[in-house]
Amino acid sequence: MEKHLVETDQTSCYTETGSLVSCKGTGQDAAQEKNFQYVRKKRFRVMDRVVQDNLTGATWTKDANLADFPLSWLEAQRFVSEMRERRAYGRGDWQLPTRFHLFALLSHQCVNPAIADDHPFENIFDGYYWSGDACARLPDQAWYVHLGGGRLHRGMKHGSYMLWPVSPGRNRDDNDSKISHLLSSERFIIEGKYAKDTRTDLIWYIDANPFGHVLSWSEAFSVIQAFNESLPGGYGDWRIPNIRELESLVDLHAHSPSLPFGHPFVNVQDVYWSSTTSVYEPRYAWSLYTQDGIIGVGYKSGRDFFAWPVRGPENATFQHSNDTSHDKK
């Protein structure tokens, strides 16, 4: 199965009005301890006109705008098909990137583009790029990413967006994706009121609406703090998940909600707050829209979304099974 990045690179904390604030005691994404494996080690390996992402095993074209202009989804598919036929850059497996690959590439600390500042790529367009994944609920739409700010949404396939070819590597081929989907019902271990996700080692409340009502962003942190203090000894470590942790629950084969087949969760709500601020506009925080799996934002002061507590994992940027080719830290 493919590996999952479960921490972001966010290093700043913000108020609801978008001002910078000390992270201490906030519970925000940047306040959480991180091992930053993917920042400290050399992530990208430049090989002439292609670049390997050492975290995912995917290889990207160094030029992020080979087509020079937007294409429809089918035109973009034909473009990469022609690249396969002529074995561009010596490779015969070029395709549109999966949503997984695009999301793994994103930074949550940098904008315009939303990719870490030390990236080696050229000609990145700070706008919309196609993925190769169609929307399960609306098959005439496909997923795209906004590389200016990092939003993941779906758009009509006849629309025109940019393309960035990728050679997926052996961690994310079609067969692995199908196996992952079939095994998803065996993915969660029930532990009383909680469910452990064996693919990330995160522990989630089975009741996905334990607080019973919508909250503003700051209220979400407050109810979590109060809940932890109410536990015996007052040592609870439940928290608001960051946006990568929320996204790790998404199954693109499913919709309404877009959670893995056979999942154990009840009372799943429409939209959940993450602890991650949108640096593109710090008055907003990243949110998961569960109907299809959209990664969007919400106005922090709005009492509009729900909170889903999470715990763990410990000392784990990536958690995975089967593939051991990238186990070295």
Side-chain angles (χ1 to χ4, degrees), residues 69 73 152 200 221 231 261 271 282 285 294:
F69 48 83
W73 195 69
L152 276 172
T200 62
F221 291 107
L231 295 174
F261 176 78
V271 193
I294 290 170

Side-chain angles (χ1 to χ4, degrees), residues 60-71 102 105-106 110-115 119 121-130 144-151 160-165 280:
W60 302 82
T61 58
K62 188 175 184 181
D63 186 343
N65 191 9
L66 284 181
D68 292 327
F69 48 83
L71 300 173
L102 284 169
L105 199 62
L106 292 178
C110 303
V111 297
N112 295 322
I115 298 178
H119 72 80
F121 302 108
E122 302 170 351
N123 300 325
I124 297 176
F125 174 64
D126 296 341
Y128 301 107
Y129 277 81
W130 284 120
Y144 64 78
V145 65
H146 181 247
L147 282 184
R151 186 168 174 251
S160 295
Y161 302 132
M162 311 304 288
L163 72 94
W164 192 350
Y280 193 80

